[in-house]
Amino acid sequence: MKKLLATTLLLSGLLLSAFAPMTRAETAGDDPAAVMEIDTIVKAFQAAIIARDRAALEAMFLPADNSWLTVASERIKLKPGQPRVRPSTYRQFAEFVGASKLPIEERFHNVRIHSNGSIGTVYFDFEFAEDGKVTNRGAESWHMVKTESGWKISSMVFSLG
């Protein structure tokens, strides 16, 4: 029994160490200062939604050459002819936030940020709440670029459901 336990522990350790270099490689190029700066933008994005601050949201995006996509998950039953992938813009979202009569909030979970100091990615799970009730949830991903005036979101894609 002791020999079986020792063998199991040894094999487990070898298996884990085999995957360790892959994990280090994923984060080896990250710029810690850039990751912290992008995390500040993530928090400001959430605060702007709560404050219904259209201008603050718009200031976080590149003014042109960006994309915004909504992707309905397989769990969502679509109406006939309704596309699963729908393009939109950050301006439409900022307008919705600014015009909201109810309290709104987007809650982020499992936030992962990677950056080399010039570009970055943010990936997280989210829940969007209106008047305290979750109206949709999914995963969201941002591409970030560092401009002369700081970090900006260059594209965003998120799933519903």
Side-chain angles (χ1 to χ4, degrees):
M1 186 65 154
K2 285 184 180 180
K3 188 174 183 178
L4 179 62
L5 179 60
T7 303
T8 302
L9 289 174
L10 176 64
L11 288 174
S12 297
L14 289 172
L15 185 60
L16 287 172
S17 67
F19 289 106
M22 187 170 22
T23 302
R24 281 195 297 274
E26 289 176 3
T27 60
D30 282 347
D31 177 326
V35 168
M36 287 176 39
E37 290 170 359
I38 292 172
D39 186 53
T40 301
I41 301 298
V42 170
K43 289 176 174 78
F45 187 90
Q46 289 178 289
I49 290 173
I50 291 170
R52 293 177 249 168
D53 189 340
R54 177 182 177 175
L57 278 172
E58 288 183 349
M60 291 180 215
F61 287 85
L62 286 175
D65 302 321
N66 62 59
S67 63
W68 178 295
L69 297 173
T70 304
V71 183
S73 77
E74 295 294 326
R75 294 185 299 258
I76 293 181
K77 186 170 172 94
L78 299 172
K79 296 175 184 171
Q82 186 178 19
R84 190 157 300 284
V85 177
R86 295 183 309 263
S88 188
T89 68
Y90 74 90
R91 286 192 171 113
Q92 289 173 320
F93 178 70
E95 186 176 315
F96 160 77
V97 167
S100 179
K101 304 294 182 218
L102 298 171
I104 56 176
E105 177 182 12
E106 187 172 4
R107 302 176 193 129
F108 298 167
H109 309 282
N110 305 316
V111 177
R112 293 168 293 266
I113 300 170
H114 294 284
S115 174
N116 69 353
S118 299
I119 63 170
T121 61
V122 181
Y123 185 92
F124 53 88
D125 301 313
F126 76 90
E127 298 170 330
F128 194 88
E130 292 180 83
D131 204 20
K133 297 177 185 82
V134 174
T135 56
N136 61 57
R137 61 175 40 99
E140 193 165 315
S141 179
W142 302 350
H143 283 122
M144 308 280 301
V145 294
K146 188 160 190 179
T147 71
E148 295 76 15
S149 60
W151 287 97
K152 302 288 183 185
I153 301 168
S154 65
S155 67
M156 179 184 291
V157 62
F158 62 96
S159 64
L160 296 179

